[in-house]
Amino acid sequence: MATYRPYRRMAARGRGEGHRVATPLELFFDLCFVVAVAQAGARLAHALEAGHAAAGVSGYAAVFFAVWWAWMNFSWFASAYDNDDVAYRVATLVQIAGVLVLAAGVPRAFDRGEFGVTAIGYLVMRLALVGQWSRAAHGSRGRERVAAGRYAAGVAMCQVGWLVLLLPPGPVPWWAFVVMVAAELTVPVVAEAACPTAWHPHHIAERYGLFTIIVLGETISAATVAVQTALDRHGGLGELLPLAFGGLLIVFAAWWIYFAVPIHERLTSNRRAFAWGYGHYAVFASAAAIGAGMEVAVAEAVGTAHIGARAAGAAVTVPAAVYLFTVWLLHARTVKRGLAQQLTLPCAAVLVLCCTPAGRAAVPLAGGVSALTVVVGVALAARGGRTGARTAG
């Protein structure tokens, strides 16, 4: 176990620091987010099964933004200022507690539009984060202090806005939610304009990769539980085996394609890093939604969903297509050479969507398309003279 001092000045770390990897505390932080992701996915599946697609998708998008943004806030701060002292560890554990409160409030927010519990959870997380940024400002000098101070002030003001918006009973106007999301996304832009923080490209890329693995793991878990529940209640594997196999192929291909490119080499500026980091909302949300879609497909196959086979198939094919396209947009297109390599993932996304009308066969067909995408990517890479059999997309 690494040694650490009880308290040390919170100064910025260097972007060129060698051997920078995720810490055990960061991994613990990510694992605790699985609870919130699972809650959001379960409520999405429930809404889709009941035929409430519009309400389910909009609720999922809002709740997942809260989860993703809380994770983003911590991850980028830690990449720049993690000093691993007692105060830092305690503040991080407090943020984890806030995540668990947020997760506990997801069903109420989804089903009844009551955001009080989620707002309290967010308040706990953000108070700890404001304290961290204030420590960073105190331990920094010059423009670095200005940037950290802007982060602390911006996060605090946004949190006040959320409390005003979410704590009163009653539905939240969609336009007010959009305004608050825009305000949140603007805070890093304004703060970094004073002085770019010292986030570490390799470290932040690893953090995003680890969270992608966790989300994909939650997708497998959700699908497994759905199949197990269906077997316990209805028995028989005839309808479920093709779904399970197709879903597994989709998740395996999703992992392969994401990690085909060492993206940290491309994070050379704040402009690139911000676009890449913000764009991962779609990557994470679609990856988790695949698991929810698998739950819906299983429920339809055993006759417990109130939707048709095509709608159940779309619950898997749509997020899978979104995932393939956004991974291409953020990762693959920056390194692919030639028209064939550039078109592999976009074409795969279109083909996955085209599987939707097949109804119950949509998931296994989409799984076959996803697996074929990996094969084509590997073949094109080999033909292009690139080494490494794991390269695809």
Side-chain angles (χ1 to χ4, degrees), residues 18-367:
H19 307 291
R20 183 75 194 279
V21 296
T23 66
L25 182 58
E26 289 175 319
L27 298 178
F28 184 43
F29 185 86
D30 289 357
L31 286 173
C32 291
F33 265 82
V34 171
V35 180
V37 172
Q39 288 285 353
R43 304 322 293 175
L44 173 62
H46 179 74
L48 294 178
E49 288 173 24
H52 304 145
V57 171
S58 61
Y60 175 76
V63 170
F64 202 92
F65 173 82
V67 174
W68 165 76
W69 191 243
W71 180 86
M72 282 265 293
N73 285 174
F74 168 78
S75 297
W76 287 82
F77 173 84
S79 189
Y81 289 101
D82 181 1
N83 65 354
D84 199 33
D85 65 1
V86 170
Y88 175 86
R89 290 187 174 194
V90 170
T92 302
L93 295 176
V94 169
Q95 290 183 71
I96 290 174
V99 171
L100 299 179
V101 175
L102 168 67
V106 167
R108 286 174 175 266
F110 241 105
D111 299 337
R112 301 198 291 269
E114 297 178 5
F115 291 90
V117 176
T118 58
I120 292 172
Y122 228 63
L123 175 63
V124 173
M125 287 187 290
R126 304 307 283 281
L127 285 176
L129 183 64
V130 170
Q132 294 279 58
W133 277 116
S134 298
R135 279 194 67 195
H138 179 73
S140 303
R141 298 179 178 86
R143 297 184 68 83
E144 289 182 0
R145 173 174 289 187
V146 174
R150 287 183 181 181
Y151 267 113
V155 171
M157 288 189 292
C158 285
Q159 185 55 42
V160 171
W162 284 118
L163 292 177
V164 171
L165 182 65
L166 299 179
L167 282 182
V172 177
W174 67 267
W175 59 266
F177 184 85
V178 171
V179 168
M180 286 306 306
V181 168
E184 290 278 3
L185 297 177
T186 303
V187 170
V189 178
V190 173
E192 299 276 339
C195 178
T197 53
W199 52 267
H200 193 284
H202 189 280
H203 174 257
I204 205 68
E206 182 188 23
R207 297 287 291 113
Y208 272 71
L210 291 172
F211 198 69
T212 300
I213 291 174
I214 287 175
V215 173
L216 291 175
E218 170 54 32
T219 293
I220 291 177
S221 175
T224 301
V225 171
V227 171
Q228 179 185 359
T229 302
L231 287 175
D232 291 342
R233 294 179 179 177
H234 304 279
L237 284 172
E239 297 287 348
L240 300 181
L241 275 179
L243 288 175
F245 183 68
L248 199 61
L249 286 178
I250 292 172
V251 175
F252 284 174
W255 171 85
W256 191 301
I257 291 168
Y258 185 91
F259 290 98
V261 178
I263 195 63
H264 68 276
E265 299 174 356
R266 302 288 168 171
L267 304 180
T268 56
S269 66
N270 272 5
R271 182 179 179 181
R272 287 187 176 183
F274 275 27
W276 176 85
Y278 284 1
H280 267 73
Y281 169 78
V283 174
F284 294 153
S286 60
I290 293 171
M294 286 299 301
E295 293 185 54
V296 175
V298 170
E300 192 282 327
V302 298
T304 60
H306 301 287
I307 57 173
R310 287 189 177 183
V316 178
T317 58
V318 171
V322 171
Y323 179 90
L324 291 173
F325 182 79
T326 51
V327 170
W328 169 79
L329 191 65
L330 298 174
H331 283 243
R333 70 181 182 87
T334 62
V335 297
K336 297 306 175 185
R337 299 293 179 266
L339 185 62
Q341 287 191 9
Q342 285 289 359
L343 290 179
T344 298
L345 284 180
C347 288
V350 172
L351 289 175
V352 166
L353 283 178
C354 290
C355 296
T356 305
R360 292 184 179 177
V363 175
L365 286 175

